[in-house]
Amino acid sequence: MKYRAGVRRKSESVTDARKLLVVEDSKTFSKALHKLLSDEIGLPVIACASLNELHEVVTEEPDVYGIAVVDLNLPDAPDGEAIDFTVQRGIPTIVFTGSFDVQTRARIMERDVIDYVLKNNEFALETLVTAVKRALTNRDTRILVVDDMTVARKHLARMLAIQQYSVIEAGSGAEALSLLAANPDVQIVISDYNMPDINGYELTRKIRRMLAPDKVRVIGVSSTNDLAVSAGFLKAGANDFISRPFMPEELQCRIANNADTLLQLRQLQELAARDHLTGLFNRRHFFENGPELMKSVQARPVSAVAILDIDNFKQINDTHGHGVGDQALELVARCLADSVKGTGNLLARLGGEEFAILFPGMDPAAAMRFCDHIRLDISHAAVQVGAERLSVTASIGVAEADAADSFDHCLRAADQALYVAKQQGRNRVCLAAA
């Protein structure tokens, strides 16, 4: 799957103007890496084989490179000069090296590089591509670092920034809770244990009262040799613990693992909330989130809800088969999704040929006009069945959705309006009686 910010379907293009830079003198490695990066990530790849070529391409386009993959030893840069060049110009850099020992590691880690990957294994190229993907994805991961010791906090924040994470800092537990409330996009909290106002255990417990582990991961840190500290963090609800002083590779892997776990949990939740055929939200998601969405609209407490049903759907299935019926469902789902995109309205497939839309803060008359546009869009579309174009129409019932009333009652009113639309000849929108 190609690189994505957040969750992106495989068919969607990468909306990213950056390029990837490969600096490698081995034609075999360079060619293979160029293809893998192009195929897997989808960003333009510029390759060069020497420090001299690197100078030229970066001078021509100094601000377009999102990541550089740089060989440690080049013919005209035997001591990592190419790495220094990219790092000094602010290009996030991953090192690719064929030789590795204690001294080589020290040479690499003294520079502000994201990571290093060894060439001498069969998975080298795949590992390198994964490292590039991780660096690009990290930019969408916000981390809150909590420590009352400024030097220690700044050091950790800098290490994370080199890894391309978005970092914010708090000097106390109270400030951390305030920042967490003000920044709902924080995904990981890294907290020291010893703080004057709220220690790491209590801060973790307070975070857990606010946010579950599938919303925010908590990692405890401490420089103590007391093994009970790590257990205390985990018992308080933390997901991980890292001892100071940090081993950069361990810090990188642990944070990446927590970020991956959070992404996987969110992807599972997304799958559980989606209808497998149409990709729309399902009945469960609609009923779980609809009432809260209605209540969240403070300025205009009146909302509207609509129930849509495909006309003569059983006849479509009986005459043309369930495959064509599925095509009709997908066609209607696309029309609905295009109509509500960017509106803040909640759309779902309730089951069978029935769909629902919640219009938070929209009065029923406006919702009825909105639905009539949807009805027209559907009627102008068609399913291709061999040489025949099969027209599809839909009937829609609209009702007021008052936050003070039960959600089920609002939907029943819309369903009754849908029944009236069917009785009046189908392919129309009806409003429930007040």
Side-chain angles (χ1 to χ4, degrees), residues 89-125:
R89 279 151 185 80
I91 304 174
T93 301
I94 297 172
V95 178
F96 202 30
T97 178
S99 59
F100 193 77
D101 51 31
V102 175
Q103 290 75 26
T104 302
R105 178 191 176 276
R107 287 172 56 202
I108 294 171
M109 298 309 296
E110 69 185 6
R111 297 167 164 97
D112 291 336
V113 299
I114 297 173
D115 200 359
Y116 58 83
V117 176
L118 308 185
K119 292 182 181 179
N120 59 350
N121 71 82
E122 59 183 308
F123 304 111
L125 292 176

Side-chain angles (χ1 to χ4, degrees), residues 100-396:
F100 193 77
D101 51 31
V102 175
Q103 290 75 26
T104 302
R105 178 191 176 276
R107 287 172 56 202
I108 294 171
M109 298 309 296
E110 69 185 6
R111 297 167 164 97
D112 291 336
V113 299
I114 297 173
D115 200 359
Y116 58 83
V117 176
L118 308 185
K119 292 182 181 179
N120 59 350
N121 71 82
E122 59 183 308
F123 304 111
L125 292 176
E126 290 80 1
T127 302
L128 187 54
V129 172
T130 299
V132 174
K133 286 183 179 179
R134 164 57 56 197
L136 291 167
T137 304
N138 285 353
R139 294 169 180 177
D140 301 307
T141 302
R142 175 163 280 198
I143 298 178
L144 171 60
V145 176
V146 190
D147 196 329
D148 64 311
M149 300 296 291
T150 303
V151 173
R153 186 179 72 247
K154 294 292 184 185
H155 175 65
L156 177 54
R158 185 172 182 275
M159 292 177 72
L160 295 171
I162 291 171
Q163 294 296 315
Q164 303 301 294
Y165 292 106
S166 170
V167 184
I168 56 176
E169 303 175 37
S172 68
E175 185 183 3
L177 293 172
S178 177
L179 284 173
L180 197 56
N183 294 271
D185 58 339
V186 168
Q187 298 177 43
I188 297 175
V189 176
I190 304 177
S191 174
D192 188 43
Y193 169 65
N194 288 304
M195 291 184 291
D197 59 340
I198 304 173
N199 68 30
Y201 299 164
E202 185 58 28
L203 175 60
T204 300
R205 282 190 283 267
K206 287 180 179 292
I207 291 172
R208 280 291 163 256
R209 293 186 195 111
M210 298 165 53
L211 298 161
D214 64 338
K215 303 298 181 185
V216 169
R217 309 292 285 181
V218 178
I219 301 174
V221 297
S222 179
S223 57
T224 181
N225 293 322
D226 185 355
L227 297 179
V229 173
S230 62
F233 264 110
L234 297 174
K235 288 286 188 181
N239 304 100
D240 206 345
F241 178 84
I242 310 174
S243 295
R244 283 190 169 110
F246 300 122
M247 182 76 167
E249 294 94 329
E250 180 189 9
L251 177 70
Q252 172 193 346
C253 290
R254 285 183 179 273
I255 293 179
N257 287 341
N258 276 278
D260 283 344
T261 298
L262 197 58
L263 177 60
Q264 290 163 7
L265 288 170
R266 290 177 176 175
Q267 288 175 335
L268 287 172
Q269 291 171 345
E270 178 78 4
L271 287 172
R274 295 285 177 178
D275 170 60
H276 73 283
L277 176 65
T278 64
L280 302 181
F281 286 123
N282 57 25
R283 182 185 188 90
R284 175 183 174 184
H285 181 89
F286 190 77
F287 276 84
E288 286 181 351
N289 292 273
E292 291 302 316
L293 185 58
M294 286 168 55
K295 292 175 184 176
S296 69
V297 183
Q298 301 295 331
R300 300 183 64 186
V302 176
S303 298
V305 65
I307 303 289
L308 179 148
D309 187 275
I310 300 175
D311 294 328
N312 302 310
F313 186 71
K314 183 177 184 302
Q315 183 179 336
I316 294 173
N317 276 333
D318 291 346
T319 304
H320 302 282
H322 290 279
V324 174
D326 286 349
Q327 290 180 50
L329 287 168
E330 291 172 324
L331 179 146
V332 170
R334 285 195 299 272
C335 290
L336 289 166
D338 289 343
S339 296
V340 305
K341 185 177 181 180
T343 63
N345 300 323
L346 178 61
L347 166 65
R349 180 187 177 196
L350 298 185
E353 68 272 32
E354 197 169 66
F355 300 82
I357 311 172
L358 177 63
F359 302 92
M362 184 183 291
D363 64 68
M368 190 172 178
R369 292 191 295 271
F370 192 104
C371 287
D372 202 49
H373 287 296
I374 292 174
R375 180 193 64 80
L376 284 170
D377 288 343
I378 293 171
S379 68
H380 292 152
V383 175
Q384 194 72 35
V385 184
E388 177 188 356
R389 280 175 58 83
L390 178 64
S391 296
V392 178
T393 63
S395 300
I396 308 174

Side-chain angles (χ1 to χ4, degrees), residues 27-77:
K27 291 183 179 179
T28 301
F29 271 116
S30 182
K31 185 176 180 180
L33 188 53
H34 189 293
K35 178 171 173 50
L36 270 176
L37 289 171
S38 298
D39 291 348
E40 293 290 321
I41 298 178
L43 297 178
V45 179
I46 305 299
C48 47
S50 66
L51 179 60
N52 185 51
E53 288 183 34
L54 175 62
H55 273 275
E56 291 180 6
V57 298
V58 173
T59 301
E60 288 176 2
E61 297 182 294
D63 302 316
V64 302
Y65 296 104
I67 299 287
V69 176
V70 183
D71 190 1
L72 177 62
N73 301 309
L74 296 169
D76 60 346

Side-chain angles (χ1 to χ4, degrees), residues 309-312 395 417-426:
D309 187 275
I310 300 175
D311 294 328
N312 302 310
S395 300
L418 170 63
Y419 178 78
V420 172
K422 294 282 190 182
Q423 290 295 103
Q424 291 182 359
R426 299 184 175 88

